[in-house]
């Protein structure tokens, strides 16, 4: 018999389940084919609803995999969503950004191991989502970047906390400050990714890892997850990010970002 969350239909997500002798493995796929799995408000609501539904199950899955359809993981924030932020007030954006982060980073509150099967490009908030997972498998040829500052905004989706947490202040700060692009091999070399494999093998490798996790004692893993992370510290960082981005969204520089994207050119920032 299928779980309740398996029978629900989502516009921007797909769900697959695999039953093993030790329990279920649930796979969540971001699926926004019109814009490279970019994050919309509706996708966020669906994602948070799904995570909440999984947490409510009497028998939890033994592991969860987060991946992407359409030969990509996630291109970051949807352009129409970003444009809407430039039209709102500071207070509206501060409130909305904090809520938007919470939709996707709810994955961090799952009491079971979560594997990011990063099967292609992951940019900005999309890359931040992978940092919110417990383990990561990256595609060797994928392109990854925290491109926030190149869009005229403070890093968001928890990246200002998660990146230094995972990589240390030196490397984590470098990736945030420069917005540089790196590949899966670099991700593995610096310890961000557990493994880096060709794109076609990412999900298979993630499933192998998930199957190995089903052999561990589930209660022990749940206790470990509770003790590994401090949601309080992340929540504090999210509030600061939301306030910083809210200021950036009403700046001339961010309006220039939107204009340059529509005109397909590099932005010219003035610091106003």
């Amino acid at each position: 018999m299928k779980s309740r969350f398996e029978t629900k239909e989502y516009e921007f997500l797909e769900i697959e389940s695999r039953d093993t002798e030790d329990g279920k493995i649930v796979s969540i796929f971001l699926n926004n084919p019109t814009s490279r799995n970019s994050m919309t408000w509706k996708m966020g609501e669906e994602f948070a609803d799904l995570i909440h539904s999984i947490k409510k199950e009497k028998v939890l899955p033994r592991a969860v995999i987060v991946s992407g359809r359409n030969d990509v993981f996630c291109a970051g924030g949807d352009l129409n969503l970003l444009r809407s932020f430039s039209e709102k007030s500071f207070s509206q954006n501060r409130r909305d950004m904090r809520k938007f982060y919470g939709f996707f980073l709810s994955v961090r509150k799952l009491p079971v191991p979560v594997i990011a099967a990063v099967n292609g490009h992951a940019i900005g908030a999309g890359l931040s989502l992978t940092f919110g997972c417990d383990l990561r498998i990256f595609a060797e040829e994928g392109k990854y970047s925290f491109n926030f500052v190149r869009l005229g905004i403070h890093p968001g989706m928890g990246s200002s906390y998660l990146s230094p947490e995972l990589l240390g202040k030196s490397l984590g700060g470098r990736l945030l400050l420069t917005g540089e692009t790196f590949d899966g091999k670099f991700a593995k070399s610096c310890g961000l990714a557990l493994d880096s494999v060709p794109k076609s093998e990412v999900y298979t490798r993630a499933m192998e890892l998930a199957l190995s996790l089903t052999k561990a004692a589930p209660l022990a893993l749940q206790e470990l997850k509770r003790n590994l992370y401090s949601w309080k510290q992340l929540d504090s960082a999210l509030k600061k990010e939301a306030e910083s981005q809210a200021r950036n969204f009403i700046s001339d520089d961010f309006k220039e970002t939107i204009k340059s994207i529509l005109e397909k050119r590099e932005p010219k920032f003035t610091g106003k």
Side-chain angles (χ1 to χ4, degrees):
M1 183 176 178
K2 287 188 174 183
S3 301
R4 282 175 295 178
F5 68 84
E6 293 177 86
T7 60
K8 294 183 72 171
E9 292 188 5
Y10 294 103
E11 183 178 354
F12 293 113
L13 303 175
E14 288 187 10
I15 309 164
E16 290 183 2
S17 294
R18 175 172 174 174
D19 291 317
T20 75
E21 60 181 17
D22 295 300
K24 183 174 292 187
I25 297 172
V26 174
S27 297
I28 303 169
F29 296 92
L30 307 182
N31 185 29
N32 188 356
T34 62
S35 60
R36 300 171 66 78
N37 298 345
S38 62
M39 293 170 161
T40 66
W41 192 271
K42 179 67 179 297
M43 180 192 282
E45 290 179 325
E46 291 182 350
F47 192 86
D49 177 78
L50 174 54
I51 297 300
H52 180 68
S53 297
I54 293 174
K55 287 174 62 179
K56 286 175 61 179
E57 287 294 304
K58 290 183 178 179
V59 180
L60 292 170
R62 300 298 296 273
V64 170
I65 297 172
V66 179
S67 192
R69 295 297 194 201
N70 316 306
D71 206 34
V72 66
F73 184 78
C74 179
D78 179 77
L79 176 59
N80 289 327
L81 180 66
L82 293 175
R83 189 174 358 185
S84 73
F85 294 146
S86 70
E87 299 166 353
K88 294 179 182 179
S89 69
F90 168 81
S91 59
Q92 286 177 310
N93 279 324
R94 180 173 57 183
R95 180 192 64 238
D96 290 349
M97 291 314 301
R98 178 64 191 86
K99 191 171 184 178
F100 188 64
Y101 302 150
F103 288 153
F104 290 97
L105 291 179
S106 61
V107 70
R108 185 130 169 163
K109 293 185 177 180
L110 271 177
V112 300
V114 181
I115 303 164
V118 194
N119 59 307
H121 303 337
I123 306 298
L127 180 58
S128 303
L129 175 59
T130 75
F131 279 44
C133 299
D134 302 301
L135 300 165
R136 288 155 292 279
I137 308 295
F138 274 55
E140 290 177 346
E141 62 271 49
K143 294 182 179 179
Y144 311 107
S145 172
F146 287 121
N147 66 335
F148 296 101
V149 293
R150 297 190 178 188
L151 297 178
I153 54 176
H154 185 283
M157 195 61 74
S159 57
S160 65
Y161 173 82
L162 295 169
S163 186
E165 179 193 55
L166 286 171
L167 300 171
K169 286 190 176 181
S170 179
L171 180 55
R174 167 185 146 189
L175 296 181
L176 292 170
L177 288 166
T178 66
E180 67 185 84
T181 300
F182 58 94
D183 60 17
K185 292 180 180 178
F186 176 85
K188 182 180 179 181
S189 71
C190 68
L192 171 59
L194 179 67
D195 204 355
S196 173
V197 297
K199 181 185 294 188
S200 60
E201 300 174 17
V202 168
Y203 182 73
T204 299
R205 178 69 182 90
M207 182 59 71
E208 290 173 354
L209 180 57
L211 287 168
S212 72
L213 290 170
T214 66
K215 302 302 180 182
L219 292 179
L221 285 179
Q222 290 170 33
E223 291 291 337
L224 176 59
K225 278 213 64 173
R226 274 191 287 269
N227 293 329
L228 271 177
Y229 307 119
S230 169
W231 181 260
K232 184 177 180 180
Q233 291 181 8
L234 175 56
D235 190 56
S236 177
L238 294 177
K239 290 176 181 177
K240 292 177 182 178
E241 286 183 351
E243 185 165 329
S244 293
Q245 285 198 337
R247 279 194 291 269
N248 296 148
F249 283 139
I250 59 176
S251 70
D252 289 343
D253 277 349
F254 187 68
K255 291 180 174 64
E256 166 64 9
T257 291
I258 298 300
K259 187 177 180 181
S260 67
I261 292 173
L262 295 174
E263 295 176 357
K264 298 181 179 180
R265 59 172 175 79
E266 289 292 318
K268 297 179 180 177
F269 297 128
T270 61
K272 297 180 181 179

